Amino acid sequence: AVALALRGRKVGLLDADIYGPSIPLMVGAEDEQPFVHAEQMVPIERYGVATMSIGYLVDRHTPVIWRGPMVGKAIDQMISDVDWSDIEVLIFDLPPGTGDIHISLTQKIALTGAVIVTTPQDVALIDAGKGVAMFQKVEVPILGLVENMSHFVCPHCSERTNIFGHGGAAKESKRLSVPLLGEIPLDPEVVQGGDDGTPIVRRNPRSAAGAAFLALADLLLERLEAGERAPR
């Protein structure tokens, strides 16, 4: 989201992980609360991105113990009761899996496409394949796969180590006939940035991880602007 904003787009980021909202922490706004203007909540802006999360509305130490209908209502309110009027690209950060949150979202809004995030090992790729199949069943185009924690490059000797295996997402993208949008390396700065609210593309954009996120944003924009539809 921040990389897209750096490319000049007006970006919104909706944290749809109701049970484990992490966006407030990752953008350094965990102590913020949205205010209401003209009967709509105003998103909290960080790094050029308008953000909204259930984490802004409930105590950070209190678990959200809701059944499916309550979750669907929360997603609906964060879509319809928030002022997204100036946004060009709205990103929904979904939890892993294929549960109520995913189904509720696809029923409430026409999605341009889905980006499936995985890690290289087979156990993660199985779930990624299920995610692709779910979105295809509800007729949401697949924009592509992203391989997170793809590899580690030693900062001292520049040797590459494939901690979780190698090439898994590339093989899965070919099997599923969907594009591989990028490979994000494992980088302690990404972890630190997520904890202290400084995204890597602002913290260190010239790092391997920062460059990978910027390249991912460029590829995603190409697919969005070309109006492409991934194979179903």
Side-chain angles (χ1 to χ4, degrees):
V2 177
L4 288 171
L6 287 171
R7 293 307 194 227
R9 298 306 186 273
K10 296 178 180 179
V11 183
L13 176 59
L14 195 160
D15 189 353
D17 191 345
I18 300 298
Y19 299 116
S22 57
I23 295 302
L25 174 65
M26 295 181 73
V27 299
E30 57 181 336
D31 294 322
E32 300 283 340
Q33 285 188 324
F35 66 91
V36 177
H37 175 72
E39 298 185 351
Q40 284 195 310
M41 285 186 290
V42 177
I44 292 172
E45 185 167 326
R46 285 292 188 278
Y47 306 106
V49 176
T51 70
M52 181 53 62
S53 170
I54 195 71
Y56 294 136
L57 307 175
V58 300
D59 183 86
R60 76 182 73 170
H61 302 297
T62 302
V64 176
I65 307 174
W66 291 347
R67 293 185 182 273
M70 287 290 290
V71 170
K73 184 177 180 181
I75 296 292
D76 189 34
Q77 288 182 324
M78 286 195 291
I79 294 172
S80 60
D81 294 349
V82 174
D83 184 6
W84 300 111
S85 58
D86 293 331
I87 298 304
E88 297 174 306
V89 180
L90 180 57
I91 299 175
F92 295 88
D93 180 25
L94 293 167
T98 54
D100 286 342
I101 293 174
H102 306 72
I103 296 169
S104 295
L105 181 60
T106 59
Q107 291 174 338
K108 294 177 185 302
I109 191 169
L111 299 173
T112 303
V115 175
I116 306 296
V117 181
T118 185
T119 48
Q121 67 268 46
D122 289 344
V123 68
L125 292 166
I126 291 171
D127 290 337
K130 291 177 181 178
V132 169
M134 183 208 70
F135 281 112
Q136 288 174 333
K137 284 185 178 181
V138 294
E139 299 185 342
V140 174
I142 305 298
L143 296 174
L145 264 65
V146 175
E147 185 175 83
N148 195 22
M149 297 186 283
S150 177
H151 56 273
F152 174 73
V153 177
C154 176
H156 305 293
C157 66
S158 300
E159 180 180 355
R160 172 171 169 154
T161 302
N162 299 312
I163 296 175
F164 299 110
H166 175 64
K171 293 177 183 177
E172 189 71 1
S173 70
K174 289 181 180 179
R175 185 185 75 83
L176 297 169
S177 299
V178 298
L180 178 63
L181 295 176
E183 298 177 343
I184 310 297
L186 186 64
D187 186 341
E189 273 202 280
V190 175
V191 179
Q192 185 61 44
D195 286 345
D196 66 21
T198 312
I200 189 67
V201 292
R202 295 292 293 268
R203 181 186 183 93
N204 190 358
R206 295 187 178 182
S207 66
F213 276 111
L214 290 167
L216 167 60
D218 290 337
L219 281 175
L220 190 56
L221 283 174
E222 286 180 14
R223 288 189 60 77
L224 292 174
E225 290 172 356
E228 293 182 7
R229 288 291 183 265
R232 298 179 179 178

